[in-house]
């Protein structure tokens, strides 16, 4: 019976991390120039095309552009992007609803975490759904889908 063949080169242990190296997804210090789009996308946990799309949908989101059209995101831009991601992904807003919500309350007030005024009207369905207690993002998305289906059925019945 033939003997199992031994590897010609021993397996190497992974190299120890270099001094000052960072873990993926973390930023040790914010660079003065800002973050390139890929770095910003990794920090937020989204793809680069998402950031480009959000830039077209949210007019107040304006990262710096170099002469060669490279984007550089500053800390303030990342804070705004985190707010947009929270509204869209966690709170179930539509893009239009998130825009209205941000225009109504302002990015600074929404990022500060202060409670919003209670006398604000909840007329729009995007805002009304964001204020209902105990409803998570997934449930809100399902409810929004059901609402759209009911509206389309209502439209068919009206015709």
């Amino acid at each position: 019976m033939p003997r199992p063949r031994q590897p010609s080169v021993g397996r190497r242990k992974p190299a120890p991390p270099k001094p000052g190296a960072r873990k993926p997804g973390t930023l040790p210090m914010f660079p003065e120039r800002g973050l390139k789009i890929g770095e910003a996308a990794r920090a937020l946990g989204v793809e680069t095309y998402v950031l480009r799309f959000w830039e077209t949908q949210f007019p107040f989101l304006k990262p710096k552009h170099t002469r060669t059209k490279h984007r550089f995101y500053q800390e303030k831009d990342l804070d705004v992007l985190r707010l947009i991601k929270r509204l869209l992904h966690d709170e179930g807003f539509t893009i239009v609803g998130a825009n209205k919500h941000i225009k109504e309350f302002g990015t600074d007030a929404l990022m500060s975490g202060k409670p919003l005024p209670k006398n604000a009207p909840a007329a729009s369905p995007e805002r009304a759904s964001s204020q209902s207690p105990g409803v998570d993002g997934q449930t809100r998305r399902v409810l929004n889908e059901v609402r759209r289906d009911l509206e389309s059925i209502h439209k068919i019945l009206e015709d």
Side-chain angles (χ1 to χ4, degrees), residues 58-76:
F58 296 94
F60 51 86
L61 181 60
K62 300 243 184 252
K64 288 184 181 177
H65 286 75
T66 64
R67 280 182 282 129
T68 55
K69 303 294 182 196
H70 290 274
R71 292 167 175 83
F72 282 98
Y73 293 89
Q74 304 302 316
E75 284 186 78
K76 177 78 172 165

Side-chain angles (χ1 to χ4, degrees), residues 115-147:
L116 300 176
K118 292 183 181 180
N119 60 355
S124 79
E126 292 90 355
R127 275 250 339 276
S129 66
S130 73
Q131 293 178 346
S132 37
V135 179
D136 65 349
Q138 178 65 28
T139 305
R140 189 169 295 112
R141 281 188 281 279
V142 170
L143 290 173
N144 283 334
E145 242 179 82
V146 169
R147 182 176 175 275

Side-chain angles (χ1 to χ4, degrees), residues 42-137:
R42 272 190 301 282
L44 293 166
V46 297
E47 297 292 329
T48 56
Y49 68 86
V50 173
L51 297 183
R52 288 186 202 99
F53 177 69
W54 286 351
E55 194 177 326
T56 65
Q57 299 300 307
F58 296 94
F60 51 86
L61 181 60
K62 300 243 184 252
K64 288 184 181 177
H65 286 75
T66 64
R67 280 182 282 129
T68 55
K69 303 294 182 196
H70 290 274
R71 292 167 175 83
F72 282 98
Y73 293 89
Q74 304 302 316
E75 284 186 78
K76 177 78 172 165
D77 297 322
L78 279 185
D79 291 339
V80 171
L81 288 167
R82 283 186 195 97
L83 170 65
I84 291 170
K85 182 180 178 186
R86 187 186 83 213
L87 291 175
L88 296 177
H89 293 209
D90 299 338
E91 297 185 24
F93 277 81
T94 62
I95 289 178
V96 172
N99 257 319
K100 286 181 188 175
H101 192 68
I102 291 170
K103 282 179 188 172
E104 185 171 344
F105 293 106
T107 55
D108 294 332
L110 292 170
M111 287 187 295
S112 70
K114 294 178 185 173
L116 300 176
K118 292 183 181 180
N119 60 355
S124 79
E126 292 90 355
R127 275 250 339 276
S129 66
S130 73
Q131 293 178 346
S132 37
V135 179
D136 65 349

